[in-house]
Amino acid sequence: MVWWVVGIVVVLIFALRYIIIVRQSTAVIVERLGKFSRELKPGLHFLIPILDSVRAVVDLREQAWDYPPQAVITKDNVPTSIDIVLYYYLTDPVKSVYEVRNLNEAILKLTMTSIRNISGSLNLDELLVSRENVNNELTQIVDVATDPWGVKVTRAEIKSVNPPAEILEAMTRQMKAERTKRAVILEAEGQKEAEINKAEGEKQAAILRAEGDRQQRILSAEGEAQALITVANARKEATIAYFQGIHEGGASQDVLALKYMETLEAISANPANKVFLPYESSALLGSLGTIKELFKDVSSEPAPLVSKAKGK
């Protein structure tokens, strides 16, 4: 009876040891007589007692390792510390077990050396403003280096960059001075724009006033010219009608000459009028000579007639 009990216990122990249930997103590495045998996928598996043994249980899910802050020195010799988070997952569980002794420690050392090399090629300002570039470069370097270990690095993120306190104070003063400088520049540019706009407005106003004066003068001159033309035309038409009336009334040649001269005198009284004598006016000169002789005859009468009239 005792042997039966012992046998049942031994069978249970072997069953618990050599009957394996592999969970999802997990891989089990099995060795036979100390040599790699196979990789067990999720499900129920049986091992050969004594011959088979489990070497490692590998988690295939993506993992995030938050490494402690790493001390680095930038290109401009500023000591600082960088806090990094690395995301990766295993693509080949067999390589992760047999190609590297301690996978997590190896990835940590590789990440530390890589971030120090990258930081040493950048100034502190570049390191602070170029986090995305640093993340991409670090991800590429670590991913290529860990590929033989069956590891795929998806991304590396810099959580924080922590310069010394005196550097932070100097950066704060520099930022304050830069903002003050920008405020002064913006204020000066605003005043400049205001002065330019004011001058431009005054210029436009002066141009519009000059244009208005010019248009007013042009319109005034055109009105005066039109008035003069209208008056001249009216006088011309009146003169023509007058002479036509004289001709129709049968006036003598001497009377026509006298009236012609009076009309010319009236027309030429305005400085704006220009008088053109036609070619036929040469016939008038004879009549003018006759009128001159008449005036000479009148002026040559004897004076005693006047004296006698006074005596009376």
Side-chain angles (χ1 to χ4, degrees), residues 70-82 124 127 161-168:
Q70 304 298 319
V72 299
I73 299 177
T74 60
K75 185 179 180 180
D76 50 350
N77 297 322
V78 177
T80 184
S81 62
I82 300 178
L124 179 61
L127 183 61
V161 178
N162 304 310
E166 59 273 13
I167 299 298
L168 290 176

Side-chain angles (χ1 to χ4, degrees), residues 209-223:
R209 285 194 297 268
E211 185 67 23
D213 294 341
R214 175 174 173 271
Q215 292 293 335
Q216 182 180 1
R217 292 179 181 179
I218 291 174
L219 293 176
S220 179
E222 290 179 351

Side-chain angles (χ1 to χ4, degrees), residues 81-247:
S81 62
I82 300 178
D83 194 0
I84 304 173
V85 179
L86 192 68
Y87 297 86
Y88 68 93
Y89 63 90
L90 300 180
T91 58
D92 192 338
V94 178
K95 289 183 178 181
S96 66
V97 173
Y98 291 101
E99 299 296 333
V100 60
R101 180 177 179 180
N102 189 329
L103 180 62
N104 293 333
E105 186 71 19
I107 295 176
L108 172 62
K109 299 298 183 183
L110 178 62
T111 304
M112 291 173 56
T113 55
S114 300
I115 193 61
R116 287 173 180 171
N117 292 334
I118 295 173
S119 301
S121 62
L122 299 174
N123 296 327
L124 179 61
D125 293 338
E126 296 174 345
L127 183 61
L128 291 173
V129 301
S130 303
R131 290 192 179 188
E132 184 176 359
N133 296 333
V134 174
N135 292 338
N136 294 335
E137 186 175 358
L138 180 61
T139 300
Q140 183 178 3
I141 292 174
V142 178
D143 182 47
V144 172
T146 57
D147 184 68
W149 304 339
V151 177
K152 175 62 180 178
V153 178
T154 56
R155 60 190 182 278
E157 297 290 341
I158 296 178
K159 290 177 57 178
S160 62
V161 178
N162 304 310
E166 59 273 13
I167 299 298
L168 290 176
E169 184 179 357
M171 292 174 63
T172 302
R173 292 197 301 268
Q174 180 182 1
M175 180 181 64
K176 183 178 179 180
E178 186 67 23
R179 292 185 180 276
T180 304
K181 174 184 174 183
R182 291 179 182 177
V184 173
I185 292 175
L186 290 176
E187 183 178 0
E189 290 181 352
Q191 294 178 355
K192 176 182 176 182
E193 290 292 335
E195 293 295 334
I196 291 175
N197 292 333
K198 181 179 178 181
E200 188 68 24
E202 293 177 353
K203 174 183 175 183
Q204 293 294 332
I207 292 174
L208 292 176
R209 285 194 297 268
E211 185 67 23
D213 294 341
R214 175 174 173 271
Q215 292 293 335
Q216 182 180 1
R217 292 179 181 179
I218 291 174
L219 293 176
S220 179
E222 290 179 351
E224 293 178 359
Q226 190 66 32
L228 293 175
I229 292 173
T230 303
V231 172
N233 290 335
R235 289 179 177 177
K236 177 181 177 183
E237 293 176 358
T239 302
I240 294 172
Y242 177 74
F243 280 106
Q244 286 179 352
I246 292 175
H247 281 290

